[in-house]
């Protein structure tokens, strides 16, 4: 299994955060106003989930009142994920332009992740779903390319 990673970190910036993996590409979830709850949810959901560093803003440090996480990192499916609340005034949210992909070997895995992550039936289609935190996911079989190239026989 794997999750698609979306943030590039150059080697000279690796020393700023304690990573458990030395991958140079990581995911960063910014604007996690329910960050502590989300991080706990994801690390409990994925069997190998681990919470690493977790640092909250000190009082008055962030401009936005609902910003709680200064920076945090956690790992699921051998993929390091960074999380933080943007402490400045912004109004952006998660959307379908970026999704995390979970490659599943069995139908049981697909069903498990779909059941646990799906929170918005109107956003579901062809393996895509949105979780209760607004993050978009793709839950797909590892042999998806083979299935797509084979097509449907008449």
């Amino acid at each position: 299994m794997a999750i698609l990673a979306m943030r590039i970190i150059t080697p000279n910036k690796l020393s700023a955060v304690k990573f458990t993996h030395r991958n140079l590409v990581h995911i960063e979830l910014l604007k996690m106003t329910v960050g502590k709850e989300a991080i706990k949810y994801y690390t409990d959901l994925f069997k190998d989930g681990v919470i690493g560093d977790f640092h909250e803003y000190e009082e008055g440090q962030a401009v936005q009142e609902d910003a709680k996480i200064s920076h945090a990192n956690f790992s699921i499916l051998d993929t390091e994920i960074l999380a933080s609340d943007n402490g400045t005034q912004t109004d952006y949210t998660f959307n379908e332009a970026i999704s995390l992909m979970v490659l599943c070997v069995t139908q049981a895995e697909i069903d498990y992740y779909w059941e646990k992550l799906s929170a918005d039936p109107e956003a579901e289609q062809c393996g895509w779903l949105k979780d209760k935190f607004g993050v978009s996911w793709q839950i797909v079989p590892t042999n998806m390319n083979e299935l797509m190239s084979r097509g449907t026989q008449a």
Side-chain angles (χ1 to χ4, degrees):
M1 285 186 242
I3 292 182
L4 180 65
M6 298 306 303
R7 182 172 185 235
I8 297 175
I9 299 175
T10 59
N12 62 347
K13 292 184 181 178
L14 284 175
S15 60
V17 178
K18 295 176 187 172
F19 291 109
T20 56
H21 304 287
R22 287 306 216 176
N23 298 340
L24 296 181
V25 178
H26 293 269
I27 300 165
E28 180 167 5
L29 300 176
L30 186 60
K31 189 71 174 167
M32 294 291 295
T33 53
V34 290
K36 189 179 279 188
E37 178 188 349
I39 291 170
K40 176 132 179 54
Y41 182 77
Y42 295 140
T43 54
D44 287 347
L45 171 70
F46 293 92
K47 293 168 182 55
D48 69 340
V50 175
I51 297 174
D53 293 329
F54 190 92
H55 303 278
E56 294 183 320
Y57 285 112
E58 293 181 20
E59 188 173 331
Q61 197 174 17
V63 174
Q64 292 220 157
E65 289 181 26
D66 61 351
K68 303 293 183 217
I69 300 175
S70 169
H71 61 280
N73 68 328
F74 62 101
S75 177
I76 56 177
L77 299 177
D78 268 344
T79 301
E80 192 83 32
I81 299 177
L82 309 174
S84 62
D85 289 326
N86 188 345
T88 62
Q89 287 296 117
T90 57
D91 62 353
Y92 53 79
T93 59
F94 297 121
N95 65 47
E96 295 77 11
I98 300 291
S99 63
L100 305 179
M101 182 182 292
V102 179
L103 300 174
C104 300
V105 176
T106 67
Q107 184 64 46
E109 285 180 326
I110 292 171
D111 295 343
Y112 171 81
Y113 290 119
W114 193 272
E115 178 186 326
K116 298 295 185 184
L117 288 168
S118 176
D120 183 359
E122 291 182 16
E124 297 173 358
Q125 181 177 346
C126 301
W128 292 72
L129 61 84
K130 189 172 280 209
D131 72 19
K132 64 183 179 178
F133 305 107
V135 176
S136 294
W137 295 81
Q138 294 179 63
I139 310 299
V140 297
T142 55
N143 65 339
M144 181 62 121
N145 287 340
E146 176 188 333
L147 294 171
M148 295 297 287
S149 65
R150 210 180 316 145
T152 305
Q153 297 194 5

